[in-house]
Amino acid sequence: MRVEDDDGVRRITFDRPQVKNAFTAEVARELADTLDELTAETHDAAVLTGEGDAFSAGGDIQAMAERDETAREAYQRVRDTLGRVAESVLTAPVPVVARVNGDAAGAGLSVAAACDFAYATKDARFAASFVNVGLVPDAGGTVTLPRLVGLRAAKELAFTGDLISAERANELDLVNDVVPADELDATVAEMVSKLVSQPTESIALAKEAIHANLGRSWRDGLEREAQAQTMAYDTDAHKEGVSAFLDGRSPEFD
């Protein structure tokens, strides 16, 4: 992961293009640490993006296949890694903008959904693909998706794992706008410039109040999400999904 600071804006780039910028526990912790460093005194905004042709493909399937942990260890890892990433984005005292340069799947979709703004290139695709490997949405997905796209659309995304186009994501309010690839940088820069010109402290207070007034606290939501994911890790569906992915075949779920 690359981190660059320029005139009050922190740019964070997922740089594992050989695996479509998939998340590992280590990457998630590093991302959360980087976001937690942001303060209203030192930064005005942050931008998340990916290297290569993907924003992030989500969790690293190879790492999933190699895990050997108890249910308690799995719970603690989920809560302390991708759960913490969502928490860090949602509580960042500056606006966080997702520059979705390519596909955003699994945790990649969830991270983009947690951001305050998201702009995507026209050929980007989105998927809550957790169900395809026998898992439930994490990285805040069960918290943010229903609030962004509505209950029925969130269930459709989570239950099917289907890829949707950038245009469909825009219709669902997963992103603020969809633009040609050669206009993405300018579009993101324009919004960041506008945000930088506003009082950071006011934005931080507004962000906190908006999130607090959404109903059930996202902390409670993330707690339930981590519990659900812990149980999902121990299912035959997850084992079959991972095995099928690594074998290059379609999974056969009971």
Side-chain angles (χ1 to χ4, degrees):
M1 193 171 70
R2 296 199 314 276
V3 179
E4 303 162 285
D5 288 321
D6 182 21
D7 199 21
V9 177
R10 171 157 290 186
R11 186 183 181 93
I12 302 170
T13 304
F14 311 133
D15 63 351
R16 303 179 71 222
Q18 69 278 12
V19 289
K20 303 293 186 182
N21 301 316
F23 286 106
T24 62
E26 291 72 24
V27 170
R29 291 189 184 98
E30 184 180 357
L31 175 57
D33 287 343
T34 300
L35 291 167
D36 288 346
E37 293 173 357
L38 300 170
T39 69
E41 292 73 33
T42 60
H43 293 85
D44 297 302
V47 176
L48 304 185
T49 193
E51 183 68 34
D53 61 0
F55 180 75
S56 173
D60 189 312
I61 306 297
Q62 185 63 53
M64 292 181 192
E66 295 170 356
R67 285 190 191 120
D68 181 15
E69 56 191 0
T70 66
R72 180 61 190 173
E73 289 169 340
Y75 165 84
Q76 202 64 54
R77 176 180 50 75
V78 173
R79 192 64 184 88
D80 291 347
T81 56
L82 290 169
R84 188 173 155 232
V85 166
E87 187 168 347
S88 297
V89 174
L90 292 165
T91 60
V94 301
V96 182
V97 180
R99 175 189 177 274
V100 185
N101 56 299
D103 289 357
L109 169 63
S110 296
V111 169
C115 291
D116 301 297
F117 300 88
Y119 297 92
T121 183
K122 285 187 174 181
D123 58 359
R125 298 175 301 174
F126 298 78
S129 52
F130 307 90
V131 71
N132 296 333
V133 288
L135 295 177
V136 303
D138 59 18
T142 62
V143 180
T144 56
L145 284 177
R147 294 170 176 176
L148 277 177
V149 306
L151 186 59
R152 291 193 186 280
K155 287 179 179 178
E156 180 180 348
L157 291 170
F159 296 176
T160 67
D162 288 346
L163 276 168
I164 63 172
S165 67
E167 287 76 12
R168 179 61 176 151
N170 194 22
E171 293 172 358
L172 291 174
D173 286 336
L174 270 173
V175 297
N176 293 82
D177 201 3
V178 174
V179 298
D182 59 0
E183 296 179 16
L184 184 60
D185 283 334
T187 300
V188 171
E190 181 180 359
M191 174 52 73
V192 169
S193 177
K194 185 177 297 185
L195 294 169
V196 167
S197 71
Q198 304 288 21
T200 305
E201 294 84 356
S202 299
I203 290 177
L205 290 170
K207 179 175 176 176
E208 182 178 17
I210 288 169
H211 287 175
N213 288 332
L214 284 173
R216 184 181 184 184
S217 75
W218 55 262
R219 284 191 175 88
D220 288 344
L222 291 174
E223 183 73 15
R224 182 66 190 90
E225 177 179 282
Q227 293 171 358
Q229 190 70 301
T230 300
M231 292 184 283
Y233 277 129
D234 197 36
T235 64
D236 291 338
H238 174 50
K239 296 180 180 67
E240 167 61 10
V242 169
S243 177
F245 183 93
L246 295 177
D247 292 345
R249 59 178 174 81
S250 298
E252 298 179 3
F253 298 126
D254 294 332

